[in-house]
Every structure is written in structure tokens, then in C-alpha cells.
Amino acid sequence: MSNVKGKGHCQSCQIRHLSIFAQLPTVRLVEIQAFQPSVVIYAPDETVYHQGDPAANAYTLRKGLVKLTKTLPNGRTQIVRVLRTGDLFGFDGFASEPYNHTATPLSEIEVCRLPLGELMELKKQNPEIENTMMRRWIQHLRQAEDMMLELGAKKASERLASFLIRWCEGTGGSWVVLPLSRGEIGELLGLTIETVSRFLSDWKRQGFLNEQRGSIQIQSVDGLRKVACASGNC
Amino acid sequence: MSNVKGKGHCQSCQIRHLSIFAQLPTVRLVEIQAFQPSVVIYAPDETVYHQGDPAANAYTLRKGLVKLTKTLPNGRTQIVRVLRTGDLFGFDGFASEPYNHTATPLSEIEVCRLPLGELMELKKQNPEIENTMMRRWIQHLRQAEDMMLELGAKKASERLASFLIRWCEGTGGSWVVLPLSRGEIGELLGLTIETVSRFLSDWKRQGFLNEQRGSIQIQSVDGLRKVACASGNC
DNA sequence: CGGCTCATTGATGCCGATCAATTATAGTGG
DNA sequence: CCACTATAATTGATCGGCATCAATGAGCCG
């Protein structure tokens, strides 16, 4: 089961600069003594919340990675987003809606549980928070639009290649952790395990990339980019 | 070219109850004399803005329908959203980003052009606006997630059927305008013209639906629903 | 070691894209 | 009003990409 580690201490929080409280002057934090979110640990076999649950809390990811998924009654699953440290999630309650997806850890994670009511109050009183959240929603929306383009207009190899490029962006050919199984990559890109596996094997053979226990390394961005843009796109 | 019809008069606006100013007390509107958005007309062969343009204005749709599209260099296009009366769009500027998609009328439209700076000021001073916008962003995000599930996890017939059901939702079998060409439906659902045409013809033959110059009528929601849930989903 | 899950690889089949031809539909100008 | 053109929709034939089915191999843990 999930495990409450203790109360959070925003003032000394290591990842505050990544959170929605980044822009908030530290002085203000001192004033907000009433706000003491819980830090909670989840194992990969648990879920933080389920699609359809009443959205009583929002969360900030402190450690690890989280996948947000939607599942059809027949079991087909789509990953709609992968979260990283500092990301806010589970905020459907702000629109008086239940959670629209399920949040599952990809490894052991640590989150900050923010009760909806308190967070709303805090947001109301601090325009910096308001502003940061707004910018993030817009960014999410933009990413969602990008993803729709991927899913609707690109073919398998293009989707996979541009996903890998995006995942390793800015790392200049060094090793990057990719804690997603073949199946999960498939669920993210609307492909089957086999298709993902085939292309990856292919590209490893061609020397475009390297893989070792959950980490990958792009050896030829150009090679991948050529695949991603096979039909003349980018 | 686009045609500025004149200055907007928020106080007497017919569609204000659908806009982001819905929750704003009318009294407050009187105070905001400085804010006088332009009402602009666009023809179907123009665009309101292009993907990549600096986002200087946001817009509220007053009349007609708008499609938001993203296009790959090779020409493949994805419709990421279809807008209706009252919808706010083109707000990327709030996150200091250029437009992420292109906005094109599906018919002659009338929009309210809201200069970013003024709108931001207005939002800052009126929590009701802030709140309404926030709720809408979250709703958009939810819809985007739903769409990703459609595109990633469903097959052609399922996507098309559930799209039609959604489009005609709550109209109880009466005629509904559908001002999208086969090609545009395809661009929305990640399908080709031919595939869309084939299924529609098929379903018309089976008596599931009826069509007449840009309007459709669902005669058997059950029939369609069975197609949409062919693999046991919903 | 044996049992588990995950990844790989091959063989086959089907869905939907592509190519191609015909038929509506709307708009234009004589 | 009708012929003429342009565009959209339909329908058929074919092809190929990806899913599906199936078997084997690799890593991991008790």
C-alpha cells in the first residue's frame, strides 16, 4: 500500500524550483504555515488514483516517473502523458470533475499530496501560483496537440523515432534512462509490442542506437531523424 | 481579407453567457470601458492565425465553426479541435509561446479579437475570468486526452462511429449540421477520405444514419454504438 | 535449476492506405 | 436554362504496413 512518509516542508523542499511554487517568494511560504502537504510513497504496482475517482487531491511528483493512462472496457490502454519531477497532476478537481485518467508509477515514486481545497485557497491568494499553473496548462495543451499530430498523421516508424529523439533531447548522445517496457512504448504511441521491438532491433543493428538495462543511447540522431521524416516531414 | 466589423460591446453581447466573461457581473463590465475588443469577420478561405505566428491576440468565437489544425512539412494535416460558439482560442501568448496550430473557419465566422495584454490585465483584475479560463483549460486537456485514446487505441470504424455519436449527442435523432468534408473528418480522426466515405455509405445503407447537404441524422444510435464498441469497448 | 516475465523474431492475415475510375454536386458563364 | 467546369464523394481493385498468432530466446528471482 501507499505509504505516507510525513509532512512536507515547502521551505526546505529540494524540488521546489521545479514545482508550481517556484515563483513564490520564500517569505510567503513562511506565512503559509497552515499548508502542510503530505509526502507519499507509491510502489510501481499501486496507482495514485483511478480514472473516474473523485478528484480530492492534486499531486506534485518529487521522485521517479509516472504514467497517466486511459483504458477502454476491452482493455486497450493509451498512455496520455509521462510525468517528470516537478510536474503537477490530478488537478481535474479544479474543474469540479473526477479524474480523467489513471496515474501509475513507473518506478517507486515520491509525491506531494495537495488537498484540493487548500491548494485552491493558496492559488487564490498567490497570483504567482495561479500564473505558473496557467502556463503549465497551456504547455500541456500544446503537448497534447503535438501528440494528436503524432498519433493521427504519422506512421509507426516515424512515431517511434521522433519519440526517441524527444526523449533524449538535449542529452548529446549520452545514456538516458528509459524506464518504459516495449508494451508501454506501444501504449504511448498506439503500436503493438512487436512493432516497437522490431524497429528498435532494426535500428540497433543499423547502429542508430544502443540499449542496456532500461537505458538507451542515440548514436545517430541523423539516422533516426531520417526515419522520423521518411515521408519528407519532420 | 478579414474584415473588422467594428468594436465589440460586451455589455450588450448576445453570446456573453457562453464566453469567458459569463461569470463576470455586468456592473463590472461597465467599469471596463477601456476594453473594447474588435469584432472581425473571416471567410472560409482565410485563416485567423497560423501555427508559428507570434500570439498577439486571443479570440472568442461568436458565429460559425473553426478548426484548429497542425500540419507536417509533407502536408499531412491533423485537426486537433473543432470550436463552437463561445470558445476561446489562440491563447498561447499567455505562456509566451507562438501559436501552436492554425485556426481556419469552416464557414464564414465572426470572432471577438482580444489583445493579449488587455486580456491579461483584465484577467488579473477579475478572478471570475481567471477561474472560467482555468476550468476551460482543464476541460480542453481532458478532451485532448480523450482524443488521444481515440486515435491511439481505436480502429477506423470505432473512431468514426463514436465521433458521430459525440457530434450528435443530445439531439435525440434530429438533423444536425456537420460542416466537415469527408477529408476533414479524416484529418480529425486520422483516416483517409475513402475510408470515411466507405463507412458512411455503409451505415447509410444499413439505415443507421441519413445525410443531406451538410447535415446528418442518426437513425439508430444503437447500431452505431455497436460499431463503436465492436471489440467490446464503449 | 525451474519458473516467471519480457523481448525477439518469424509467418500469416487483415485493415486501411493507395491508386484509379466513375458519379454526384455546386458553381459559372453563355 | 443548360452546357461546362471544378470540386467532392463514391466505389472498386490492389497493395502494403502493422496487427495478430506463434515459437523461441534472454534476463531475473526464488
Side-chain angles (χ1 to χ4, degrees), chain A residues 155-156 191-192 194-195 198:
Chain A
K155 46 186 59 174
L191 304 172
T192 57
E194 293 93 330
T195 304
R198 264 182 253 273

Side-chain angles (χ1 to χ4, degrees), chain B:
Chain B
M1 271 303 295
S2 70
N3 176 2
V4 177
K5 195 182 177 185
K7 287 297 178 185
H9 301 282
C10 297
Q11 296 167 54
S12 60
C13 176
Q14 295 293 321
I15 61 119
R16 183 158 71 86
H17 66 289
L18 296 170
S19 80
I20 52 166
F21 304 120
Q23 306 304 319
L24 200 63
T26 311
V27 188
R28 198 80 60 78
L29 271 180
V30 185
E31 300 167 12
I32 315 172
Q33 290 296 349
F35 185 63
Q36 285 248 325
S38 308
V39 174
V40 192
I41 311 257
Y42 290 92
D45 59 346
E46 317 175 281
T47 62
V48 184
Y49 55 78
H50 266 99
Q51 174 178 0
D53 287 352
N57 299 288
Y59 299 86
T60 296
L61 184 56
R62 288 174 52 82
K63 265 187 212 154
L65 294 180
V66 167
K67 62 174 176 180
L68 306 181
T69 59
K70 283 183 76 76
T71 303
L72 293 169
N74 67 0
R76 293 204 188 203
T77 298
Q78 178 71 24
I79 298 182
V80 296
R81 204 166 128 74
V82 174
L83 304 173
R84 302 164 167 283
T85 304
D87 278 336
L88 179 74
F89 62 108
F91 41 70
D92 299 82
F94 277 113
S96 316
E97 298 275 5
Y99 295 123
N100 193 44
H101 51 243
T102 300
T104 314
L106 286 171
S107 57
E108 179 167 298
I109 59 161
E110 199 176 304
V111 299
C112 217
R113 188 206 284 148
L114 314 161
L116 189 70
E118 296 180 29
L119 188 53
M120 268 176 138
E121 194 55 36
L122 213 59
K123 176 173 77 67
K124 204 181 292 178
Q125 284 163 19
N126 297 277
E128 300 93 342
I129 299 180
E130 182 95 61
N131 207 262
T132 307
M133 289 179 75
M134 175 194 72
R135 296 178 87 95
R136 291 199 179 193
W137 280 319
I138 293 176
Q139 293 294 2
H140 287 192
L141 213 42
R142 295 164 60 87
Q143 286 166 14
E145 289 174 351
D146 293 351
M147 201 62 201
M148 286 188 241
L149 181 66
E150 295 285 321
L151 291 172
K154 289 189 181 178
K155 45 185 63 174
S157 55
E158 297 165 353
R159 276 182 247 174
L160 186 55
S162 68
F163 161 72
L164 292 174
I165 294 172
R166 235 179 308 128
W167 189 269
C168 299
E169 204 155 61
T171 54
S174 54
W175 287 92
V176 185
V177 225
L178 180 62
L180 294 171
S181 68
R182 300 291 189 262
E184 284 167 329
I185 296 174
E187 286 173 351
L188 181 67
L189 304 176
L191 305 172
T192 57
I193 295 183
E194 294 94 327
T195 305
V196 174
S197 179
R198 266 182 251 274
F199 281 117
L200 288 181
S201 300
D202 213 19
W203 297 340
K204 279 192 273 186
R205 264 179 239 118
Q206 296 197 35
F208 292 171
L209 54 86
N210 226 321
E211 196 180 28
Q212 229 170 82
R213 1 174 87 254
S215 284
I216 59 163
Q217 176 195 36
I218 296 186
Q219 291 173 309
S220 166
V221 200
D222 289 347
L224 278 186
R225 217 183 296 276
K226 237 168 266 167
V227 179
C229 312
S231 344
N233 50 13
C234 248

